[in-house]
Amino acid sequence: MTSALIALPEERGSVLGSELERIGVHVVGVVDVSEIAPGLLAEADVLILPATRAALSADLVAACDRAGVRIVTLGAGESRLLSRYGLPEALPEDADVWRIADALSEETPPIAARPVAARRRIVAVWGPHGAPGRSTIAIQLALELARTGRRCALIDADTVAPSLALLLGLGDDAPGIAAACRRAELGGLDAAELSRVAVAVETSAGTVDVLAGLNRPSRWPELSADRLSTTLGVCREWAEETVIDVSAAFDAYEEVSDDLSGPRRHAATTAVLREADVIVAVTAADPLSISRFLRDHAELRGLVGPTARIAVVANQVRPGPLGIDARGQIRRALERFAGITDVTFLPHDQRAADAALLHARPMADVTPRSALVAAVRRLAEHLEPARPRTPVTADSRRGSSRAVRWLRPARAVRAASRRGSDPEWAS
């Protein structure tokens, strides 16, 4: 007999519990999500709960995995959250007892898939403490994504040290992300309103819409998780590519606070990381930064789940702090201690960085031939979905090396010469 633990709101939970008992399913109990204890999970085979962010968490999913308890969710609109945790597709909120019973007995339920309708992405640029270059990479990445012809937005959601406005030469009086969040709380935020509060920055790659950050870090309560999540939902309709610069710390670090109902300074970072389609995780190429990155990367994985896409970037790569083989040292350390095998390396280009700061412009505008600009362009291509490559050699086994290309004209000339000297060919 299947044993089920129900964590649904009271009326729905009690009614569903009695209906499941009538058809032979043992109900361990009907509890609130906050009351789920390891002892109850040990008695259950299946946990039934809403498909909401308030109910589902990485700790709860991990506890169910340890206890061997399946999770069945009810509700709609959270396929991104379910796919992040590798959970089955949610049943309708008003599903009848027979459909729920079938889901309880199903051995291999289909895993929820991420929605792929519009290919509109949110790219979060995150990194540990110590100035690894998050803001610089966010600006340059936004330019390279805009270079593809897609509408790109750049948002500063850093509640600790906002800097995009200074780096781009924008004034402190720009409405920015704070104004968008206030409009979102009032229910008046749409694409037209985002265009009004954003600043259109003309670059060598085209126009990039910038939502500047807070002009004073003390205004961080204005970027609450609910406000920012609503704003990001509208951003998906407004721009095809949205690049967001966030701070280093997570809201999870504040769980020990006495006031759990009050605002949290790092809730903006948590909300962005959970909503992002791609997370660009940046570390500086020095021993201290890599040590911090390895520690915080584990926390990041616990926050966003094992299936979230994280692109690891080693910035400011140079032989000084790590010896001659800096890339090899970084690659081996990340693979050994975090299992990271795919790393993008960005070179240290102080001249390009200084020129960008001097002119308050993106690097691609002032030093277009910089090696760092070229590396970020390759990073933007790496973030694109995999596409089938067209074989350059048209299935030729000889390939298209420089030597082969050089020999082809010579062969053609010799063949033409033989044809011209052949009496039969001439006749």
Side-chain angles (χ1 to χ4, degrees), residues 17 61 74 82 96 106 128-129 212 216 241 268 278 310 370:
V61 174
L74 303 182
L82 298 177
D96 57 39
E106 193 172 5
H129 291 283
R216 293 189 306 277
E241 302 280 0
V278 182
I310 301 177
S370 166

Side-chain angles (χ1 to χ4, degrees), residues 251-264:
D251 190 29
Y253 297 160
E254 298 177 343
E255 293 295 335
V256 296
S257 174
D258 295 333
D259 185 11
L260 296 180
S261 60
R264 298 174 182 175

Side-chain angles (χ1 to χ4, degrees), residues 46-112:
V46 182
L47 173 63
I48 305 174
L49 74 166
T52 61
R53 297 183 184 275
L56 282 171
S57 65
D59 293 338
L60 178 59
V61 174
C64 291
D65 290 343
R66 289 192 297 269
V69 177
R70 281 181 50 205
I71 296 178
V72 174
T73 56
L74 303 182
E78 291 291 352
S79 59
R80 187 184 306 275
L81 176 66
L82 298 177
S83 66
R84 179 172 295 165
Y85 291 124
L87 297 177
E89 297 176 351
L91 300 176
E93 192 170 357
D94 57 350
D96 57 39
V97 65
W98 296 108
R99 185 168 181 180
I100 295 176
D102 290 340
L104 298 183
S105 60
E106 193 172 5
E107 294 184 0
T108 56
I111 301 300

Side-chain angles (χ1 to χ4, degrees), residues 182 295 361:
R182 289 194 297 269
R295 180 187 63 243
R361 298 291 300 170

Side-chain angles (χ1 to χ4, degrees), residues 7-8 26 62 73 139 156-157 165 168 174 198 211 213 232 276 284 308 322-323 330 339 354 395 403:
L8 296 173
H26 173 61
T73 56
I139 293 173
D156 191 346
L168 293 174
L211 284 174
L232 295 182
L322 294 172
I330 296 170
D354 291 344
D395 296 329

Side-chain angles (χ1 to χ4, degrees), residues 124-128 134 246-248 250 273 279-282 293 296-297 300:
V125 181
W126 168 88
R134 294 185 301 264
V246 297
S247 63
F250 301 146
L273 293 176
I279 299 173
V280 178
V282 183
F293 178 83
D296 292 348
H297 180 267
L300 176 65

